[in-house]
Amino acid sequence: MKYLFKSKALLLLLFVYLSSCATNGKTDTATELAKWEEQAARVTIMRDDFGVPHVYGKTDADAVFGLLYAQCEDDFNRVERNYMWAIGRLAEAEGEEMIYSDLRAKLYMTEEEAKAEYERSPEWLKELCQAFADGINYYLHSHPEVKPKLLTRFEPWMPMYFSEGSIGGDIESVSTKGIKAFYEEDRSLGLNSHGHGLVQPALLEEPKGSNGFAISGKHTASGDAMLLINPHTSFFFRGEVHAVSEEGLNAYGAVTWGQFFIYQGFNEKTGWMHTSAYADVIDEFEETIVKQDGKLFYRYGEELRPVETQEVTLAYKAGDELKKKTFTTYRTHHGPITHMNGDKWVATALMWKPADALIQSYTRTKKSNLKEFDEMMQMRTNSSNATVYADADGNIAYYHGNFFPKRDTSFDYSKPVDGSNPKTDWNGLHTLDETIRLVNPPNGWIQNCNSTPFTAAAEYSPKKEDYPVYMAPSPENYRGVHAIRLLKKAENLTLDKLIDLAYDPYLPGFEVLIPGLVKAYDAQKPTDPKLKAAIDVMRNWDYAVSEESVAMSLAHFYATNLLRDGSAPKGHIMERFDYYADTAPASERLEIFSKTIAELEQDFGKWNTPWGEINRFQRLTGDIKQPFNDAAPSIPVGMASGNWGALASYGANRYDTKRLYGTSGNSFVAMVEFGDKVKAKTILAGGQSGDPKSPHFNDQAQRYADVQFKDVAYYREDVEKRAKARYKPGQKVVK
């Protein structure tokens, strides 16, 4: 050091000065800490017997403060990672390969723009955003043993990046490979097999969607409406929470880690379930770029408009170093340039109204009836979701999407359109009344399983010809077929009967596929006794999944091998199953089935291995990517992939293992019944906590496999009875 302090008094003054300086340069630490402690004193957290946090605050902001504190207690790792991803700083923790995810975030909003969006927000929303940041920062202050990977301080503008609860939301449809090819390599990847440049799930990927059922009182034992909340997400992606304030908040359900609103859940009067609508709400505009006098323009009708440019510098981890890359980003009035198709630059337009989306996401949780819910939906910022709704007045409703730009239907927006033609521009938004909506259909039930809305209420469904094709391009799927069959027969439902319905083991996909296999065998009459024995198992199968089922093991791998290696023309799974059932050569069907038998023998010692020996649940660590191990303890699961028509979806794969381990599908599930008092039952994959040392890390794992739901403690007196811990943020938990 060049200078040494020799006076203890000077050292003390320096310490006091440094201690009083805030990390944001605006508020001194002592004042900030006093503010946090004052707010914490207005918050009570009670943990029930499954570790679910019931957070009570005087104001909504107090409840948000406590809710974020509780989330950090349960899984700060996931809270932090969600925001590293959302704000575009993931590469600083995870390396250069994530820099294009970060660049994607910055293409749609820089930090400066996020701060401006926050400052423009209404005061009540700013208070909630500040409470979000304060709750996390107070957690970090009071838990010095927690070492963030990157974000040592959270800011109130951060929620602007993460304004609705879907997994990634619309922005994840924008390909980081396309961004890298354009901004790093100046090349085109061309169109994908779907004729555009957006990310599409692989054929065999477990569907990232959900099931939602709304059932009127005419089909329930109580005469009250019921709601199935059944998101199909990555396991451990959401926690189960309850947030209450004296300002009218009393919401229970699933929260995406780090968000301050309950995403899928209910209050005493209304319930909301989001499914992926797969509506066409993201468009690609091919821009004609012209360079003049060293400047870039794009053609729009008869004019040339300047391309907006901006320098973005991103940091990334390289070993023990932090390196930086600077990109020049480009934008037209259609949106940021995200990739290139041939010699055309492509701007990708999507809904981007952060503050409004946050307002809609939060206020949804406080609505008391259908009229209020409709008014909230008028904001039209819930772009990636359909919504299934039920309430205490007995209403049921369905909204197939919420945000729909008006387009000229003479153009095919499922593919890139010519951005130089003004006729391709979005022309405002469809009003709520113009979108696909169902309210109280006479059949008394509504379902959506990420399939077409035109079967949502059987014969009372909306009619396809009444709407633009871009509002509902999704085809039917086997989960939708399954749901309709069950709901047509549903009567006198209770919460337990609704659970049975939602976990019905029948797999309609195999009802189509397997008879075609048996037919091929009977036509060919092979002499192999092993093949005959396996075919006899399939011939006598009832197409229901269970832990004990050998047929399920054979069917899963047979279907997987067919879809991966078979000769079916391109199409969705239902189309391909029809082909393999009726059209594929008998020899091909038998060859792939024989390959399946050999595969099971090689991996498990015998072809007739029960499904539960193969299909497992395992949670060993709190890592975001689980390390699976055949030698470590795991639990058999008698559920199956949603691809085959399983309503209770269980997406399992191999991870350098022989066994299949589930990572997505049924995660948080709730059955809700409205009436004079709301009643609900829930289950959560694994448990509430991400800490392997917590008793709530895996305490629901066996219950999950056994479909043994827990009763929800919603009312204060019930929470008090089941409370195992009661404390205020910052206090040591007393059990």
Side-chain angles (χ1 to χ4, degrees):
M1 292 180 66
K2 190 174 181 180
Y3 301 101
L4 295 176
F5 286 101
K6 297 181 180 180
S7 165
K8 290 183 180 180
L10 283 175
L11 283 170
L12 180 60
L13 284 172
L14 178 64
F15 173 77
V16 170
Y17 171 76
L18 291 175
S19 297
S20 68
C21 293
T23 54
N24 64 6
K26 292 181 180 178
T27 312
D28 68 81
T29 300
T31 301
E32 189 172 52
L33 180 57
K35 174 178 175 260
W36 293 343
E37 290 175 340
E38 180 184 350
Q39 190 157 32
R42 299 194 298 269
V43 177
T44 298
I45 301 172
M46 286 189 272
R47 297 271 181 177
D48 67 23
D49 41 343
F50 288 93
V52 175
H54 302 260
V55 181
Y56 295 86
K58 186 172 181 61
T59 65
D60 281 10
D62 295 338
V64 166
F65 178 95
L67 179 61
L68 269 298
Y69 184 96
Q71 286 185 53
C72 291
E73 288 182 301
D74 286 334
D75 209 327
F76 176 77
N77 183 31
R78 282 177 168 79
V79 171
E80 182 187 22
R81 192 184 191 279
N82 279 349
Y83 278 92
M84 288 192 295
W85 168 83
I87 68 176
R89 294 186 62 187
L90 198 53
E92 294 178 53
E94 297 185 6
E96 187 176 6
E97 66 273 15
M98 303 310 298
I99 202 166
Y100 303 100
S101 172
D102 293 348
L103 181 56
R104 179 176 62 186
K106 301 300 187 185
L107 285 174
Y108 284 93
M109 188 164 67
T110 63
E111 183 176 315
E112 292 71 27
E113 289 167 334
K115 290 174 179 176
E117 191 78 13
Y118 165 75
E119 291 297 339
R120 286 193 296 268
S121 299
E123 284 303 315
W124 68 265
L125 182 60
K126 291 168 72 172
E127 288 177 11
L128 298 187
C129 290
Q130 186 64 58
F132 147 88
D134 289 346
I136 301 176
N137 291 331
Y138 188 45
Y139 168 81
L140 291 174
H141 170 82
S142 56
H143 292 76
E145 73 282 3
V146 174
K147 305 299 181 187
K149 292 182 177 65
L150 178 70
L151 302 179
T152 57
R153 182 177 178 87
F154 284 70
E155 300 292 347
W157 48 265
M158 289 180 175
M160 296 295 150
Y161 277 99
F162 204 22
S163 56
E164 60 113 322
S166 295
I167 300 178
D170 294 333
I171 197 171
E172 286 214 324
S173 293
V174 179
S175 169
T176 55
K177 291 180 181 178
I179 290 172
K180 179 180 180 181
F182 178 78
Y183 282 101
E184 184 80 14
E185 301 156 0
D186 191 27
R187 68 184 180 93
S188 165
L189 296 182
L191 301 176
N192 59 30
S193 61
H194 297 269
H196 55 69
L198 300 175
V199 174
Q200 288 293 125
L203 182 66
L204 279 166
E205 185 177 327
E206 186 63 21
K208 291 180 180 177
S210 308
N211 303 332
F213 300 167
I215 302 162
S216 77
K218 67 169 63 176
H219 298 296
T220 67
S222 65
D224 296 317
M226 300 177 76
L227 180 68
L228 165 68
I229 297 173
N230 185 192
H232 295 162
T233 68
S234 305
F235 289 169
F236 326 126
F237 184 80
R238 296 193 179 109
E240 184 172 346
V241 300
H242 184 196
V244 187
S245 82
E246 295 177 20
E247 294 182 333
L249 176 67
N250 193 352
Y252 192 107
V255 63
T256 304
W257 295 113
Q259 293 187 315
F260 61 76
F261 54 88
I262 281 71
Y263 177 60
Q264 289 160 320
F266 59 94
N267 58 41
E268 189 174 26
K269 299 297 184 183
T270 66
W272 55 95
M273 167 60 207
H274 299 306
T275 63
S276 297
Y278 295 119
D280 182 6
V281 296
I282 305 173
D283 286 329
E284 298 170 284
F285 293 88
E286 292 183 337
E287 309 288 20
T288 301
I289 302 299
V290 177
K291 194 170 185 178
Q292 288 185 355
D293 301 326
K295 296 180 180 179
L296 292 173
F297 298 85
Y298 65 101
R299 192 170 299 284
Y300 185 68
E302 298 299 317
E303 62 179 306
L304 289 179
R305 293 184 173 186
V307 175
E308 295 177 39
T309 63
Q310 190 171 21
E311 297 291 305
V312 172
T313 299
L314 299 172
Y316 64 94
K317 184 179 180 182
D320 294 330
E321 293 183 75
L322 200 63
K323 295 185 177 180
K324 292 184 177 181
K325 276 189 179 182
T326 297
F327 300 89
T328 300
T329 64
Y330 306 98
R331 171 181 288 272
T332 72
H333 75 282
H334 294 122
I337 303 298
T338 58
H339 60 288
M340 190 158 55
N341 181 27
D343 62 350
K344 299 286 188 180
W345 290 14
V346 182
T348 302
L350 49 80
M351 196 284 295
W352 197 262
K353 298 179 180 180
D356 286 348
L358 268 180
I359 291 169
Q360 184 166 356
S361 293
Y362 185 79
T363 58
R364 177 171 54 234
T365 67
K366 297 180 72 172
K367 300 307 176 186
S368 298
N369 53 53
L370 182 58
K371 182 176 181 293
E372 291 180 4
F373 203 85
D374 255 0
E375 289 170 353
M376 172 272 301
M377 293 293 280
Q378 298 281 0
M379 293 191 71
R380 294 168 293 166
T381 58
N382 191 4
S383 58
S384 66
N385 294 316
T387 302
V388 183
Y389 168 92
D391 68 28
D393 295 327
N395 296 302
I396 61 173
Y398 175 66
Y399 306 80
H400 190 77
N402 186 231
F403 167 89
F404 286 104
K406 290 183 179 178
R407 293 120 156 172
D408 183 335
T409 54
S410 65
F411 298 97
D412 181 3
Y413 286 88
S414 68
K415 297 176 173 59
V417 294
D418 180 6
S420 69
N421 185 346
K423 291 182 179 180
T424 65
D425 267 9
W426 289 356
N427 188 23
L429 296 181
H430 285 280
T431 64
L432 189 65
D433 289 340
E434 292 171 339
T435 63
I436 301 174
R437 203 165 46 133
L438 261 171
V439 178
N440 295 327
N443 61 310
W445 55 261
I446 294 169
Q447 65 81 27
N448 182 260
C449 300
N450 312 125
S451 56
T452 173
F454 305 125
T455 59
E459 66 269 28
Y460 300 103
S461 303
K463 306 304 177 191
K464 188 174 186 177
E465 59 270 19
D466 293 340
Y467 300 94
V469 66
Y470 53 73
M471 279 194 181
S474 297
E476 186 62 279
N477 63 32
Y478 284 125
R479 282 184 290 130
V481 169
H482 195 178
I484 292 165
R485 286 184 188 175
L486 294 171
L487 288 167
K488 280 184 174 180
K489 299 182 292 184
E491 296 296 340
N492 296 312
L493 287 174
T494 62
L495 288 178
D496 288 334
K497 287 182 179 179
L498 183 56
I499 292 170
D500 291 341
L501 187 150
Y503 281 77
D504 182 83
Y506 194 76
L507 302 175
F510 292 136
E511 176 188 64
V512 173
L513 185 67
I514 299 307
L517 170 64
V518 174
K519 182 179 178 181
Y521 177 85
D522 291 342
Q524 297 266 319
K525 294 185 172 60
T527 57
D528 181 357
K530 190 185 300 179
L531 180 58
K532 179 182 184 304
I535 287 289
D536 284 343
V537 169
M538 307 311 288
R539 191 190 304 274
N540 297 313
W541 188 30
D542 62 0
Y543 311 122
V545 62
S546 69
E547 290 179 24
E548 300 78 20
S549 176
V550 171
M552 181 65 225
S553 302
L554 288 163
H556 175 86
F557 288 105
Y558 173 59
T560 300
N561 289 333
L562 274 177
L563 292 172
R564 186 179 57 227
D565 303 328
S567 62
K570 291 178 182 177
H572 57 77
I573 284 178
M574 291 183 77
E575 292 172 334
R576 295 188 188 214
F577 271 26
D578 286 341
Y579 171 83
Y580 290 122
D582 300 321
T583 307
S587 58
E588 179 186 18
R589 301 178 221 180
L590 292 177
E591 180 184 346
I592 291 182
F593 189 64
S594 296
K595 174 184 175 182
T596 299
I597 293 171
E599 179 184 351
L600 285 164
E601 285 185 323
Q602 179 177 338
D603 290 342
F604 302 103
K606 57 182 182 179
W607 64 264
N608 53 346
T609 301
W611 180 237
E613 288 295 313
I614 298 169
N615 197 51
R616 313 289 286 191
F617 178 92
Q618 186 178 75
R619 192 184 195 192
L620 301 175
T621 72
D623 296 350
I624 290 170
K625 290 187 177 180
Q626 288 289 297
F628 295 108
N629 185 344
D630 283 339
S634 62
I635 295 171
V637 177
M639 294 159 61
S641 169
N643 282 322
W644 319 142
L647 291 176
S649 165
Y650 193 76
N653 284 291
R654 289 180 167 130
Y655 298 88
D656 295 321
T657 58
K658 300 295 186 185
R659 286 171 154 174
L660 305 176
Y661 293 98
T663 57
S664 66
N666 276 28
S667 45
F668 167 82
V669 188
M671 313 286 165
V672 188
E673 183 173 22
F674 296 95
D676 293 336
K677 282 194 165 186
V678 67
K679 295 188 295 184
K681 291 175 178 278
T682 62
I683 196 69
L684 193 65
Q688 178 70 19
S689 176
D691 181 0
K693 299 187 293 294
S694 168
H696 304 299
F697 177 71
N698 244 358
D699 60 336
Q700 294 183 61
Q702 191 62 58
R703 297 177 73 101
Y704 176 89
D706 295 340
V707 193
Q708 190 177 3
F709 277 55
K710 61 188 184 293
D711 292 323
V712 165
Y714 179 80
Y715 294 97
R716 181 70 179 249
E717 59 268 25
D718 298 319
V719 176
E720 297 272 5
K721 289 174 186 174
R722 287 176 49 186
K724 299 299 181 183
R726 179 184 181 130
Y727 57 99
K728 293 184 176 298
Q731 292 180 345
K732 188 173 182 179
V733 178
V734 178
K735 295 184 179 180

